Amino acid sequence: MSLPPLVEPAAELTVEEVRRYSRHLIIPDVGMDGQKRLKNAKVLCVGAGGLGSPALMYMAAAGVGTLGIIEFDTVDESNLQRQIIHGQSDIGRSKAQSARDSVKEINPLVEVILHEERLDNDNVMEIFSGYDLIVDGTDNFATRYLVNDAAVLLGKPYVWGSIYRFDGQASVFWAEHGPCYRCLYPEAPPPGMVPSCAEGGVLGVLCASIGSIQVNEAIKLLAGIGEPLVGRLMIYDALEMQYRSVKVRKDPNCALCGENPTVTELIDYESFCGVVSEEASAAAVGSTITSKQLKEWIDNGEPIDIIDVREINEYEIVSIPGARLIPKNEFLMGNALQDLPQDKRIVLHCKTGVRSAEVLAVLKSAGFADAVHLGGGVIGWVNQIEPEKPVY
Ligand SMILES: [Zn+2]
């Protein structure tokens, strides 16, 4: 499947540009037309880290006219093993500014736009809407789903990549013409299942292998040449030195780009991906019970108040016997605290244990010292205690 170019060509190339890009211009598939399209292109790179480094450097060299960089972090010594856009003298500097300086050194003709902030629900739509294409170099699941959902909602394509140890993956997600990230990965892995680069390590040069695929696909999409990586997932194994490509189909049941979407706006990605705040994980230490423990307490008639902190529609799908519903926000707004009993132990639960841990932190700081939450949430409860009940 070939697709039309994403970008209209610029009016002309200057003499300086013709000199600089001559090795592109003599490739028939690129030529003046393709190079003029690159000149007119606005590409946003999410992150200036492992994947963002090679992606930004090669896009700059290739003559992509406008490069946006969204990055809030600073350069750390441990980044330099793979984040080659930064150097020794950049340690401690803003990654965005360091990346901009390297881009300008490679190609001063590129216009660089810095977004020195964390990508979030409040800024993503406005930032993305200023660009033709997004290159995703994020390293965490919450941002990955945020990038995907915003791109689909805005009808924009993006080039995705991921890296871990010796393994890399890349694809182009464009819901208009193929699958989105959620078609491939409908659910985020449970927290802690997939270690980050900081925890699991990454071979530095793997970033170049995957980042260069991303740039390759970006150039093809912008110029409208070749077979874009839409509907295909590239899987690279650096130890075996093998590239495989597998077909990825659009999922008609995809929550976002399927026939009956249930995700029609941005959601709470931290909660979706099970990211637990520091306060919540601290509160959960020593105050997390199992489904079996809860079952025992219920059977023994212990004085407990089971509070489900999910939303009403979730409660209607499946609930734990005797649990009453007080959605998480009621606690965060401070409305729910006065209704809690002082003579019973509070047992909180949610779907998987993320939201209930957050509420537990609120309760602990309000003086409910013996409050606990159910590890694994109602999903764990159904799996272990009431397997005949539905899960969602
Ligand atoms: Zn989808």
Side-chain angles (χ1 to χ4, degrees):
M1 168 181 45
S2 64
L3 293 171
L6 269 180
V7 181
E8 289 302 311
E12 57 178 7
L13 296 185
T14 63
V15 174
E16 184 189 6
E17 286 166 337
V18 170
R19 274 203 310 269
R20 176 177 282 265
Y21 305 124
S22 65
R23 299 303 187 276
H24 270 172
L25 300 177
I26 56 178
I27 306 175
D29 287 328
V30 182
M32 283 297 268
D33 182 73
Q35 195 65 46
K36 284 179 183 171
R37 290 184 198 274
L38 296 184
K39 179 178 179 177
N40 240 2
K42 293 182 171 160
V43 178
L44 175 71
C45 191
V46 184
L51 292 173
S53 288
L56 284 166
M57 291 167 88
Y58 270 110
M59 285 195 289
V64 172
T66 304
L67 283 175
I69 303 171
I70 177 150
E71 174 66 71
F72 64 92
D73 207 359
T74 52
V75 180
D76 182 80
E77 190 178 16
S78 68
N79 299 148
L80 301 182
Q81 159 261 17
R82 64 196 180 285
Q83 301 182 13
I84 57 164
I85 203 165
H86 315 294
Q88 182 69 24
S89 60
D90 297 314
I91 292 174
R93 285 185 73 202
S94 138
K95 276 192 184 178
Q97 293 175 23
S98 160
R100 175 202 55 206
D101 293 352
S102 298
V103 164
K104 285 289 188 187
E105 177 63 19
I106 293 166
N107 187 348
L109 305 178
V110 174
E111 190 191 334
V112 181
I113 301 172
L114 295 191
H115 307 273
E116 290 190 77
E117 54 196 315
R118 194 184 285 267
L119 192 69
D120 62 26
N121 287 27
D122 294 330
N123 60 23
V124 65
M125 300 303 257
E126 196 188 334
I127 293 175
F128 277 20
S129 57
Y131 294 90
D132 303 304
L133 177 69
I134 291 99
V135 171
D136 180 19
T138 50
D139 60 355
N140 67 82
F141 286 96
T143 314
R144 217 168 260 168
Y145 281 96
L146 171 66
V147 167
N148 180 71
D149 292 4
V152 172
L153 294 172
L154 288 166
K156 286 190 193 285
Y158 76 101
V159 192
W160 168 82
S162 89
I163 44 173
Y164 178 68
R165 294 189 175 162
F166 293 94
D167 298 317
Q169 300 186 348
S171 191
V172 172
F173 295 115
W174 194 356
E176 219 173 289
H177 299 284
C180 79
Y181 181 71
R182 282 177 184 265
C183 294
L184 180 61
Y185 298 114
E187 294 270 349
M193 263 282 274
V194 180
S196 65
C197 290
E199 293 158 25
V202 59
L203 185 73
V205 71
L206 182 71
C207 302
S209 309
I210 299 302
S212 66
I213 292 178
Q214 291 183 280
V215 175
N216 189 67
E217 293 309 307
I219 289 173
K220 283 160 59 187
L221 290 166
L222 296 169
I225 55 177
E227 284 284 318
L229 201 51
V230 173
R232 285 184 294 149
L233 174 68
M234 281 305 301
I235 301 172
Y236 173 57
D237 180 335
L239 275 184
E240 296 293 324
M241 190 39 73
Q242 264 184 351
Y243 284 97
R244 288 188 298 134
S245 146
V246 296
K247 272 210 164 75
V248 184
R249 287 195 169 75
K250 196 177 181 74
D251 178 3
N253 299 317
C254 175
L256 182 67
C257 77
E259 285 154 15
N260 298 298
T262 53
V263 178
T264 54
E265 55 187 16
L266 301 177
I267 61 166
D268 180 345
Y269 294 93
E270 301 250 306
S271 149
F272 177 70
C273 296
V275 179
V276 181
S277 70
E278 275 175 41
E279 294 82 12
S281 44
V285 173
S287 299
T288 303
I289 61 162
T290 63
S291 297
K292 289 206 173 80
Q293 176 81 70
L294 177 57
K295 178 77 165 58
E296 267 180 47
W297 286 357
I298 295 172
D299 291 348
N300 296 342
E302 301 270 341
I304 55 171
D305 189 3
I306 309 172
I307 296 173
D308 185 341
V309 302
R310 296 175 300 159
E311 301 300 317
I312 178 86
N313 54 337
E314 298 179 271
Y315 183 80
E316 282 167 353
I317 296 171
V318 61
S319 63
I320 292 176
R324 62 192 181 109
L325 182 74
I326 308 180
K328 183 186 86 174
N329 261 350
E330 297 294 311
F331 289 96
L332 300 189
M333 309 285 283
N335 303 333
L337 289 172
Q338 65 266 24
D339 299 331
L340 298 181
Q342 299 288 342
D343 56 344
K344 286 182 182 173
R345 177 180 263 206
I346 310 285
V347 180
L348 301 165
H349 88 83
C350 62
K351 183 182 181 185
T352 61
V354 174
R355 281 171 281 177
S356 57
E358 281 182 51
V359 176
L360 185 64
V362 174
L363 256 58
K364 294 270 182 190
S365 59
F368 291 87
D370 68 346
V372 293
H373 89 125
L374 177 62
V378 70
I379 299 295
W381 171 271
V382 169
N383 286 336
Q384 290 177 32
I385 312 292
E386 296 188 280
E388 67 282 1
K389 283 194 173 173
V391 290
Y392 63 103

